[in-house]
Amino acid sequence: MTFDVLVCPRREVKRFADLTADETCDLWLTAQKIGSQLEKYHKASSLTLAIQDGPQAGQTVPHVHIHILPRKGGDFEKNDEIYDAIDVKEKELAQKLDLDKDRKDRTLDEMSQEAEAYRALFT
């Protein structure tokens, strides 16, 4: 897995059960829309959608979010290895949020290019 996209509610909510019914619906409908476009864009054949809800489930960032991962045949030797990869990405994200001195930000140009490519999927 080279990347994943995170979808989260605007309101900062630690746990999935703390979302309102409307937020839950919006979160999943947004994930559905984004996932569909990412699958086409990356020429994938499937998606993995995952939530790690609470520290014992592997949640390292205290804000509900859904991982959306476009999938292709053979991207992992064993399909469930995807969850180990998600754990690695969660830990990387937690470190970035610490804003430590070793953090390497992507350039504005890199972020702009990615945003422009994804923006085109939804216009």
Side-chain angles (χ1 to χ4, degrees), residues 15-38:
R15 299 292 308 277
F16 184 73
D18 297 331
L19 293 169
T20 66
D22 286 342
E23 288 171 329
T24 301
C25 185
D26 288 345
L27 182 65
W28 281 109
L29 289 173
T30 301
Q32 181 184 45
K33 181 178 181 180
I34 290 172
S36 176
Q37 292 300 320
L38 289 174

PDB file of all heavy atoms in Angstrom, residues 15-38:
ATOM      1  N   ARG A  15     -14.612   8.961  19.370  1.00  0.00           N
ATOM      2  CA  ARG A  15     -15.071   7.590  19.135  1.00  0.00           C
ATOM      3  C   ARG A  15     -16.269   7.575  18.201  1.00  0.00           C
ATOM      4  O   ARG A  15     -17.085   8.501  18.179  1.00  0.00           O
ATOM      5  CB  ARG A  15     -15.447   6.929  20.471  1.00  0.00           C
ATOM      6  CG  ARG A  15     -14.312   6.794  21.495  1.00  0.00           C
ATOM      7  CD  ARG A  15     -13.240   5.803  21.083  1.00  0.00           C
ATOM      8  NE  ARG A  15     -13.789   4.504  20.721  1.00  0.00           N
ATOM      9  CZ  ARG A  15     -14.112   3.545  21.603  1.00  0.00           C
ATOM     10  NH1 ARG A  15     -13.937   3.729  22.889  1.00  0.00           N
ATOM     11  NH2 ARG A  15     -14.609   2.401  21.167  1.00  0.00           N
ATOM     12  N   PHE A  16     -16.399   6.489  17.464  1.00  0.00           N
ATOM     13  CA  PHE A  16     -17.464   6.320  16.482  1.00  0.00           C
ATOM     14  C   PHE A  16     -18.844   6.466  17.127  1.00  0.00           C
ATOM     15  O   PHE A  16     -19.732   7.111  16.573  1.00  0.00           O
ATOM     16  CB  PHE A  16     -17.307   4.949  15.811  1.00  0.00           C
ATOM     17  CG  PHE A  16     -18.299   4.696  14.722  1.00  0.00           C
ATOM     18  CD1 PHE A  16     -18.202   5.345  13.503  1.00  0.00           C
ATOM     19  CD2 PHE A  16     -19.329   3.802  14.918  1.00  0.00           C
ATOM     20  CE1 PHE A  16     -19.116   5.112  12.491  1.00  0.00           C
ATOM     21  CE2 PHE A  16     -20.258   3.561  13.914  1.00  0.00           C
ATOM     22  CZ  PHE A  16     -20.151   4.212  12.697  1.00  0.00           C
ATOM     23  N   ALA A  17     -19.034   5.910  18.306  1.00  0.00           N
ATOM     24  CA  ALA A  17     -20.331   5.967  18.986  1.00  0.00           C
ATOM     25  C   ALA A  17     -20.712   7.390  19.399  1.00  0.00           C
ATOM     26  O   ALA A  17     -21.880   7.660  19.674  1.00  0.00           O
ATOM     27  CB  ALA A  17     -20.332   5.054  20.205  1.00  0.00           C
ATOM     28  N   ASP A  18     -19.754   8.298  19.412  1.00  0.00           N
ATOM     29  CA  ASP A  18     -20.026   9.683  19.793  1.00  0.00           C
ATOM     30  C   ASP A  18     -20.550  10.532  18.637  1.00  0.00           C
ATOM     31  O   ASP A  18     -20.944  11.678  18.849  1.00  0.00           O
ATOM     32  CB  ASP A  18     -18.758  10.333  20.358  1.00  0.00           C
ATOM     33  CG  ASP A  18     -18.284   9.657  21.639  1.00  0.00           C
ATOM     34  OD1 ASP A  18     -19.131   9.116  22.374  1.00  0.00           O
ATOM     35  OD2 ASP A  18     -17.066   9.667  21.885  1.00  0.00           O
ATOM     36  N   LEU A  19     -20.566   9.986  17.429  1.00  0.00           N
ATOM     37  CA  LEU A  19     -21.110  10.708  16.286  1.00  0.00           C
ATOM     38  C   LEU A  19     -22.630  10.770  16.386  1.00  0.00           C
ATOM     39  O   LEU A  19     -23.263   9.826  16.872  1.00  0.00           O
ATOM     40  CB  LEU A  19     -20.747  10.002  14.977  1.00  0.00           C
ATOM     41  CG  LEU A  19     -19.283   9.969  14.573  1.00  0.00           C
ATOM     42  CD1 LEU A  19     -19.079   8.998  13.412  1.00  0.00           C
ATOM     43  CD2 LEU A  19     -18.808  11.363  14.193  1.00  0.00           C
ATOM     44  N   THR A  20     -23.202  11.844  15.903  1.00  0.00           N
ATOM     45  CA  THR A  20     -24.663  11.905  15.804  1.00  0.00           C
ATOM     46  C   THR A  20     -25.088  11.023  14.624  1.00  0.00           C
ATOM     47  O   THR A  20     -24.253  10.638  13.792  1.00  0.00           O
ATOM     48  CB  THR A  20     -25.152  13.345  15.551  1.00  0.00           C
ATOM     49  OG1 THR A  20     -24.703  13.758  14.251  1.00  0.00           O
ATOM     50  CG2 THR A  20     -24.654  14.307  16.626  1.00  0.00           C
ATOM     51  N   ALA A  21     -26.367  10.743  14.529  1.00  0.00           N
ATOM     52  CA  ALA A  21     -26.878   9.946  13.407  1.00  0.00           C
ATOM     53  C   ALA A  21     -26.583  10.649  12.077  1.00  0.00           C
ATOM     54  O   ALA A  21     -26.160   9.994  11.104  1.00  0.00           O
ATOM     55  CB  ALA A  21     -28.376   9.699  13.569  1.00  0.00           C
ATOM     56  N   ASP A  22     -26.774  11.949  12.031  1.00  0.00           N
ATOM     57  CA  ASP A  22     -26.494  12.694  10.802  1.00  0.00           C
ATOM     58  C   ASP A  22     -25.008  12.650  10.448  1.00  0.00           C
ATOM     59  O   ASP A  22     -24.643  12.503   9.275  1.00  0.00           O
ATOM     60  CB  ASP A  22     -26.952  14.150  10.924  1.00  0.00           C
ATOM     61  CG  ASP A  22     -28.463  14.312  10.842  1.00  0.00           C
ATOM     62  OD1 ASP A  22     -29.147  13.385  10.353  1.00  0.00           O
ATOM     63  OD2 ASP A  22     -28.958  15.377  11.269  1.00  0.00           O
ATOM     64  N   GLU A  23     -24.144  12.790  11.440  1.00  0.00           N
ATOM     65  CA  GLU A  23     -22.704  12.731  11.187  1.00  0.00           C
ATOM     66  C   GLU A  23     -22.296  11.348  10.682  1.00  0.00           C
ATOM     67  O   GLU A  23     -21.460  11.232   9.780  1.00  0.00           O
ATOM     68  CB  GLU A  23     -21.917  13.068  12.456  1.00  0.00           C
ATOM     69  CG  GLU A  23     -21.970  14.528  12.835  1.00  0.00           C
ATOM     70  CD  GLU A  23     -21.375  14.810  14.196  1.00  0.00           C
ATOM     71  OE1 GLU A  23     -21.437  13.940  15.097  1.00  0.00           O
ATOM     72  OE2 GLU A  23     -20.856  15.926  14.374  1.00  0.00           O
ATOM     73  N   THR A  24     -22.885  10.308  11.267  1.00  0.00           N
ATOM     74  CA  THR A  24     -22.577   8.950  10.841  1.00  0.00           C
ATOM     75  C   THR A  24     -22.971   8.743   9.385  1.00  0.00           C
ATOM     76  O   THR A  24     -22.194   8.221   8.574  1.00  0.00           O
ATOM     77  CB  THR A  24     -23.298   7.920  11.735  1.00  0.00           C
ATOM     78  OG1 THR A  24     -22.883   8.129  13.084  1.00  0.00           O
ATOM     79  CG2 THR A  24     -22.981   6.497  11.319  1.00  0.00           C
ATOM     80  N   CYS A  25     -24.157   9.175   9.050  1.00  0.00           N
ATOM     81  CA  CYS A  25     -24.644   9.061   7.673  1.00  0.00           C
ATOM     82  C   CYS A  25     -23.748   9.857   6.722  1.00  0.00           C
ATOM     83  O   CYS A  25     -23.321   9.341   5.683  1.00  0.00           O
ATOM     84  CB  CYS A  25     -26.086   9.548   7.604  1.00  0.00           C
ATOM     85  SG  CYS A  25     -26.844   9.331   5.992  1.00  0.00           S
ATOM     86  N   ASP A  26     -23.449  11.098   7.066  1.00  0.00           N
ATOM     87  CA  ASP A  26     -22.594  11.935   6.218  1.00  0.00           C
ATOM     88  C   ASP A  26     -21.205  11.323   6.040  1.00  0.00           C
ATOM     89  O   ASP A  26     -20.647  11.346   4.937  1.00  0.00           O
ATOM     90  CB  ASP A  26     -22.452  13.342   6.803  1.00  0.00           C
ATOM     91  CG  ASP A  26     -23.707  14.180   6.668  1.00  0.00           C
ATOM     92  OD1 ASP A  26     -24.610  13.802   5.885  1.00  0.00           O
ATOM     93  OD2 ASP A  26     -23.783  15.222   7.354  1.00  0.00           O
ATOM     94  N   LEU A  27     -20.643  10.786   7.131  1.00  0.00           N
ATOM     95  CA  LEU A  27     -19.309  10.202   7.074  1.00  0.00           C
ATOM     96  C   LEU A  27     -19.269   9.032   6.086  1.00  0.00           C
ATOM     97  O   LEU A  27     -18.395   8.961   5.219  1.00  0.00           O
ATOM     98  CB  LEU A  27     -18.882   9.747   8.477  1.00  0.00           C
ATOM     99  CG  LEU A  27     -17.486   9.149   8.604  1.00  0.00           C
ATOM    100  CD1 LEU A  27     -16.424  10.198   8.294  1.00  0.00           C
ATOM    101  CD2 LEU A  27     -17.290   8.592  10.012  1.00  0.00           C
ATOM    102  N   TRP A  28     -20.235   8.135   6.183  1.00  0.00           N
ATOM    103  CA  TRP A  28     -20.249   6.963   5.305  1.00  0.00           C
ATOM    104  C   TRP A  28     -20.617   7.318   3.873  1.00  0.00           C
ATOM    105  O   TRP A  28     -20.063   6.750   2.922  1.00  0.00           O
ATOM    106  CB  TRP A  28     -21.154   5.868   5.859  1.00  0.00           C
ATOM    107  CG  TRP A  28     -20.453   5.129   6.958  1.00  0.00           C
ATOM    108  CD1 TRP A  28     -20.736   5.183   8.283  1.00  0.00           C
ATOM    109  CD2 TRP A  28     -19.325   4.253   6.829  1.00  0.00           C
ATOM    110  NE1 TRP A  28     -19.849   4.402   8.985  1.00  0.00           N
ATOM    111  CE2 TRP A  28     -18.977   3.820   8.113  1.00  0.00           C
ATOM    112  CE3 TRP A  28     -18.580   3.817   5.746  1.00  0.00           C
ATOM    113  CZ2 TRP A  28     -17.911   2.947   8.357  1.00  0.00           C
ATOM    114  CZ3 TRP A  28     -17.514   2.944   5.982  1.00  0.00           C
ATOM    115  CH2 TRP A  28     -17.192   2.527   7.268  1.00  0.00           C
ATOM    116  N   LEU A  29     -21.530   8.259   3.680  1.00  0.00           N
ATOM    117  CA  LEU A  29     -21.855   8.673   2.312  1.00  0.00           C
ATOM    118  C   LEU A  29     -20.659   9.362   1.650  1.00  0.00           C
ATOM    119  O   LEU A  29     -20.399   9.173   0.456  1.00  0.00           O
ATOM    120  CB  LEU A  29     -23.085   9.584   2.300  1.00  0.00           C
ATOM    121  CG  LEU A  29     -24.411   8.888   2.604  1.00  0.00           C
ATOM    122  CD1 LEU A  29     -25.533   9.912   2.737  1.00  0.00           C
ATOM    123  CD2 LEU A  29     -24.741   7.850   1.540  1.00  0.00           C
ATOM    124  N   THR A  30     -19.928  10.136   2.426  1.00  0.00           N
ATOM    125  CA  THR A  30     -18.721  10.781   1.906  1.00  0.00           C
ATOM    126  C   THR A  30     -17.671   9.734   1.565  1.00  0.00           C
ATOM    127  O   THR A  30     -17.039   9.787   0.500  1.00  0.00           O
ATOM    128  CB  THR A  30     -18.172  11.798   2.923  1.00  0.00           C
ATOM    129  OG1 THR A  30     -19.179  12.783   3.181  1.00  0.00           O
ATOM    130  CG2 THR A  30     -16.916  12.475   2.408  1.00  0.00           C
ATOM    131  N   ALA A  31     -17.486   8.765   2.444  1.00  0.00           N
ATOM    132  CA  ALA A  31     -16.523   7.685   2.175  1.00  0.00           C
ATOM    133  C   ALA A  31     -16.924   6.906   0.924  1.00  0.00           C
ATOM    134  O   ALA A  31     -16.059   6.531   0.111  1.00  0.00           O
ATOM    135  CB  ALA A  31     -16.426   6.756   3.381  1.00  0.00           C
ATOM    136  N   GLN A  32     -18.211   6.675   0.744  1.00  0.00           N
ATOM    137  CA  GLN A  32     -18.697   5.956  -0.432  1.00  0.00           C
ATOM    138  C   GLN A  32     -18.366   6.732  -1.710  1.00  0.00           C
ATOM    139  O   GLN A  32     -17.861   6.177  -2.690  1.00  0.00           O
ATOM    140  CB  GLN A  32     -20.204   5.732  -0.314  1.00  0.00           C
ATOM    141  CG  GLN A  32     -20.810   4.979  -1.484  1.00  0.00           C
ATOM    142  CD  GLN A  32     -22.318   4.885  -1.352  1.00  0.00           C
ATOM    143  OE1 GLN A  32     -22.993   5.874  -1.033  1.00  0.00           O
ATOM    144  NE2 GLN A  32     -22.853   3.696  -1.578  1.00  0.00           N
ATOM    145  N   LYS A  33     -18.646   8.024  -1.696  1.00  0.00           N
ATOM    146  CA  LYS A  33     -18.396   8.865  -2.871  1.00  0.00           C
ATOM    147  C   LYS A  33     -16.905   8.947  -3.182  1.00  0.00           C
ATOM    148  O   LYS A  33     -16.486   8.772  -4.329  1.00  0.00           O
ATOM    149  CB  LYS A  33     -18.970  10.263  -2.625  1.00  0.00           C
ATOM    150  CG  LYS A  33     -18.798  11.205  -3.789  1.00  0.00           C
ATOM    151  CD  LYS A  33     -19.447  12.556  -3.494  1.00  0.00           C
ATOM    152  CE  LYS A  33     -19.295  13.503  -4.667  1.00  0.00           C
ATOM    153  NZ  LYS A  33     -19.908  14.797  -4.399  1.00  0.00           N
ATOM    154  N   ILE A  34     -16.112   9.208  -2.168  1.00  0.00           N
ATOM    155  CA  ILE A  34     -14.663   9.335  -2.366  1.00  0.00           C
ATOM    156  C   ILE A  34     -14.071   7.989  -2.789  1.00  0.00           C
ATOM    157  O   ILE A  34     -13.258   7.915  -3.706  1.00  0.00           O
ATOM    158  CB  ILE A  34     -13.994   9.885  -1.098  1.00  0.00           C
ATOM    159  CG1 ILE A  34     -14.383  11.353  -0.920  1.00  0.00           C
ATOM    160  CG2 ILE A  34     -12.480   9.727  -1.161  1.00  0.00           C
ATOM    161  CD1 ILE A  34     -13.957  11.969   0.385  1.00  0.00           C
ATOM    162  N   GLY A  35     -14.491   6.920  -2.133  1.00  0.00           N
ATOM    163  CA  GLY A  35     -13.980   5.593  -2.473  1.00  0.00           C
ATOM    164  C   GLY A  35     -14.258   5.227  -3.914  1.00  0.00           C
ATOM    165  O   GLY A  35     -13.384   4.704  -4.623  1.00  0.00           O
ATOM    166  N   SER A  36     -15.447   5.500  -4.376  1.00  0.00           N
ATOM    167  CA  SER A  36     -15.816   5.188  -5.753  1.00  0.00           C
ATOM    168  C   SER A  36     -14.905   5.912  -6.747  1.00  0.00           C
ATOM    169  O   SER A  36     -14.426   5.323  -7.717  1.00  0.00           O
ATOM    170  CB  SER A  36     -17.278   5.576  -5.985  1.00  0.00           C
ATOM    171  OG  SER A  36     -17.641   5.383  -7.320  1.00  0.00           O
ATOM    172  N   GLN A  37     -14.662   7.177  -6.488  1.00  0.00           N
ATOM    173  CA  GLN A  37     -13.805   7.954  -7.385  1.00  0.00           C
ATOM    174  C   GLN A  37     -12.342   7.522  -7.298  1.00  0.00           C
ATOM    175  O   GLN A  37     -11.647   7.459  -8.312  1.00  0.00           O
ATOM    176  CB  GLN A  37     -13.948   9.445  -7.097  1.00  0.00           C
ATOM    177  CG  GLN A  37     -15.305  10.004  -7.448  1.00  0.00           C
ATOM    178  CD  GLN A  37     -15.642   9.843  -8.916  1.00  0.00           C
ATOM    179  OE1 GLN A  37     -14.803  10.011  -9.793  1.00  0.00           O
ATOM    180  NE2 GLN A  37     -16.881   9.470  -9.194  1.00  0.00           N
ATOM    181  N   LEU A  38     -11.859   7.239  -6.092  1.00  0.00           N
ATOM    182  CA  LEU A  38     -10.473   6.800  -5.940  1.00  0.00           C
ATOM    183  C   LEU A  38     -10.233   5.461  -6.629  1.00  0.00           C
ATOM    184  O   LEU A  38      -9.182   5.236  -7.228  1.00  0.00           O
ATOM    185  CB  LEU A  38     -10.098   6.687  -4.460  1.00  0.00           C
ATOM    186  CG  LEU A  38      -9.945   8.001  -3.705  1.00  0.00           C
ATOM    187  CD1 LEU A  38      -9.713   7.724  -2.226  1.00  0.00           C
ATOM    188  CD2 LEU A  38      -8.817   8.830  -4.289  1.00  0.00           C
TER     189      LEU A  38
END
